[in-house]
């Protein structure tokens, strides 16, 4: 089998099974594990998979730039946002993460809601301008353009003054084995900082994020109160079997 054919097979297997185990594919094709690892390394460099120990997982489409993500899985994000908005109680304080799903949450919050929203997303803050009863606190810091959020030391320091009831967390990957992941180390650190400032953290995960993985771990599943998703597939079942609360959207 030519190298190109082998890599096409790896991508097909990834799409069909949701993962590739280098050892198993090497045995099946009668080639060395090193050859399969090299293939996966090159595919990962091209953005076609996410390498993990022993193989690879599907790469999340949510690692695309912010403008591109606004047109991905719009219906799924709206369904997730509707459930998430119900977690924002009158009089409560909520931290809204950055990203297109949390922006959808901001847009569907009731116009007469009285609450406090803390966010490091300028776009989320602007979306709440017409909600007269919502007090908005925008955390400043270095602007991470990919996700249109602030992060870094200044943003993390500002977050230390916050105590919230709920944190609505956005990630790019939710996988039973790889966990909750995102594509940037500083952004992952900021998400952890915000999670520590809230009593409960809920993950916003439209279907395209389920079963996918990115480079940096955000939180263990034990640290979240639930995963809100419109997906109903094997990976969601695995999460539920491992004790992760699932909120269907």
């Amino acid at each position: 089998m030519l190298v190109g054919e082998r890599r096409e097979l790896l991508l097909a297997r990834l799409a069909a099974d949701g993962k590739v185990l280098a050892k198993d594919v090497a045995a099946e094709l009668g080639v060395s594990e090193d050859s399969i690892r090299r293939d996966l390394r090159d595919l990962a460099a091209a953005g076609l998979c996410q390498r993990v120990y022993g193989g690879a997982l599907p790469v999340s489409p949510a690692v695309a730039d912010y403008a591109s993500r606004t047109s991905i899985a719009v219906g799924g994000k709206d369904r997730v946002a509707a459930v998430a908005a119900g977690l924002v109680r009158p009089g409560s304080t909520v931290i809204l993460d950055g990203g297109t799903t949390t922006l959808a949450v901001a847009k569907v919050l009731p116009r007469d809601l009285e609450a406090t929203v803390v966010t490091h997303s300028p776009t989320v803050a602007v979306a709440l301008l017409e909600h007269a009863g919502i007090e908005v606190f925008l955390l400043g810091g270095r602007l991470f353009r990919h996700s249109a959020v602030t992060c870094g030391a200044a943003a993390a320091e500002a977050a230390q003054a916050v105590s919230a009831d709920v944190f609505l967390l956005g990630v790019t990957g939710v996988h039973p084995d790889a966990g909750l992941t995102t594509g940037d180390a500083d952004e992952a650190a900021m998400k952890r900082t915000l999670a520590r400032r809230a009593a409960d953290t809920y993950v916003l995960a439209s279907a395209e994020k389920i079963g996918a993985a990115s480079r940096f771990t955000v939180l263990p599943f034990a640290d979240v109160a639930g995963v809100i998703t419109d997906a109903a597939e094997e990976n969601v079942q695995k999460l539920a079997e491992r004790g992760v609360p699932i909120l269907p959207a």
Side-chain angles (χ1 to χ4, degrees), residues 148-175:
V149 295
T150 59
C151 58
E157 183 177 357
Q160 300 307 314
V162 175
S163 292
D165 300 290
V166 173
F167 174 36
L168 299 181
L169 166 66
V171 295
T172 58
V174 180
H175 192 280

Side-chain angles (χ1 to χ4, degrees), residues 75-90 92-97 100-110 113 115 117 165-170 200-206 209 226-230 246-249:
K77 291 174 183 177
D78 288 344
R79 289 187 288 274
V80 169
V83 174
L87 299 173
V88 183
R89 306 299 184 189
S92 67
T93 297
V94 59
I95 300 173
L96 283 184
D97 201 356
T100 53
T101 309
T102 47
L103 180 60
V105 174
K107 291 179 178 179
V108 299
L109 289 174
L113 176 67
V117 170
D165 300 290
V166 173
F167 174 36
L168 299 181
L169 166 66
D200 291 310
T201 294
Y202 289 89
V203 181
L204 310 181
S206 45
K209 298 172 184 176
V227 174
I228 306 171
T229 184
D230 62 324
I246 304 296
L247 284 69

Side-chain angles (χ1 to χ4, degrees), residues 12 109 112 186-187 219 225:
L109 289 174
D112 60 349
D186 287 343
E187 191 176 11
L219 290 171

Side-chain angles (χ1 to χ4, degrees), residues 132-152:
I134 296 181
E135 192 76 27
V136 180
F137 287 86
L138 180 60
L139 303 178
R142 179 178 63 85
L143 183 65
F144 179 50
R145 296 178 185 275
H146 178 271
S147 297
V149 295
T150 59
C151 58

Side-chain angles (χ1 to χ4, degrees), residues 67-86:
S68 298
R69 297 203 310 275
T70 59
S71 60
I72 296 175
V74 175
K77 291 174 183 177
D78 288 344
R79 289 187 288 274
V80 169
V83 174

Side-chain angles (χ1 to χ4, degrees), residues 7-8 10-11 38-49:
R7 293 178 182 179
E8 288 181 5
L10 289 170
L11 291 175
R38 282 194 298 271
D39 290 340
L40 294 176
R41 183 166 57 246
D42 290 342
L43 291 172
L48 299 175
C49 71

